[in-house]
Amino acid sequence: MIADDVMLDPTAAVMQPSLVNLYGCRIGPGSRVGPFVEIQRDVDIGANCKISSHSFICEGVSIEDGVFIGHGVMFTNDLFPRATNAAGEPQTSDDWELLPTRVRAGASVGSGATILPNVTIGVGAMVGAGSVVTRDVPDHALVVGCPARIVGDTRERGSDERSAASDDTPTC
């Protein structure tokens, strides 16, 4: 479902529009959104981004130009999620603080990664598949693991490099 309030650039592509949930977001020119993706209100996606299938981009996320989001990436926007408030009633937007997340230009987030709120993933940085990002990732850093830790610099790898880390990569 693509809601009427979505700002979708005419050159952006949504694969199988009946299999996505887009509402109140902006998707820039040349960007591509795969099937089974949800993008919530007030999300801003720049130009020439690729959002792969089964990813969830929640309110408060800003994605700059040329960013790759792998399959099944999950963004969060609340550090202390609860179903109910102190009175035992279902929470509303008044019961929690929205924490923003920013993914800077040219960054890549590998499949299955989880991005906690209130972090910035730097320009040209790379988050390895399955990583859990709990703090800011510097520009051009290669991070992997749970929690994600710096293991390299993306500028030291060729553009065709596909291996994100060596056998001693920290894992969950």
Side-chain angles (χ1 to χ4, degrees), residues 112-157:
T114 300
I115 313 300
L116 272 59
N118 207 28
V119 301
T120 296
I121 298 173
V123 172
M126 181 173 284
V127 175
S131 296
V132 178
V133 176
T134 60
R135 59 182 170 235
D136 289 349
V137 175
D139 291 353
H140 306 288
L142 170 61
V143 300
V144 297
C146 179
R149 292 182 285 265
I150 298 172
V151 297
D153 187 308
T154 59
R155 294 169 294 192
E156 296 171 1
R157 297 178 178 272

Side-chain angles (χ1 to χ4, degrees), residues 52-57 68-75 109-115:
S52 301
S53 69
H54 298 88
S55 291
F56 175 73
I57 305 173
F68 172 82
I69 303 295
H71 301 279
V73 171
M74 296 293 144
F75 287 86
V109 180
S111 295
T114 300
I115 313 300

Side-chain angles (χ1 to χ4, degrees), residues 12-144:
V14 177
M15 309 305 164
Q16 301 175 356
S18 63
L19 300 176
V20 300
N21 287 317
L22 308 178
Y23 48 96
C25 59
R26 186 193 75 79
I27 300 174
S31 289
R32 298 170 290 160
V33 177
F36 306 108
V37 168
E38 179 166 334
I39 303 174
Q40 295 185 331
R41 73 175 181 261
D42 298 326
V43 169
D44 188 28
I45 296 177
N48 301 314
C49 294
K50 181 179 181 186
I51 312 299
S52 301
S53 69
H54 298 88
S55 291
F56 175 73
I57 305 173
C58 58
E59 180 181 3
V61 174
S62 175
I63 296 175
E64 294 181 1
D65 297 345
V67 168
F68 172 82
I69 303 295
H71 301 279
V73 171
M74 296 293 144
F75 287 86
T76 63
N77 59 11
D78 185 359
L79 281 176
F80 303 101
R82 296 282 187 246
T84 59
N85 61 23
E89 300 163 336
Q91 273 197 351
T92 68
S93 60
D94 295 332
D95 297 314
W96 62 282
E97 179 184 0
L98 173 70
L99 298 173
T101 298
R102 183 176 182 194
V103 184
R104 304 279 318 275
S108 293
V109 180
S111 295
T114 300
I115 313 300
L116 272 59
N118 207 28
V119 301
T120 296
I121 298 173
V123 172
M126 181 173 284
V127 175
S131 296
V132 178
V133 176
T134 60
R135 59 182 170 235
D136 289 349
V137 175
D139 291 353
H140 306 288
L142 170 61
V143 300
V144 297

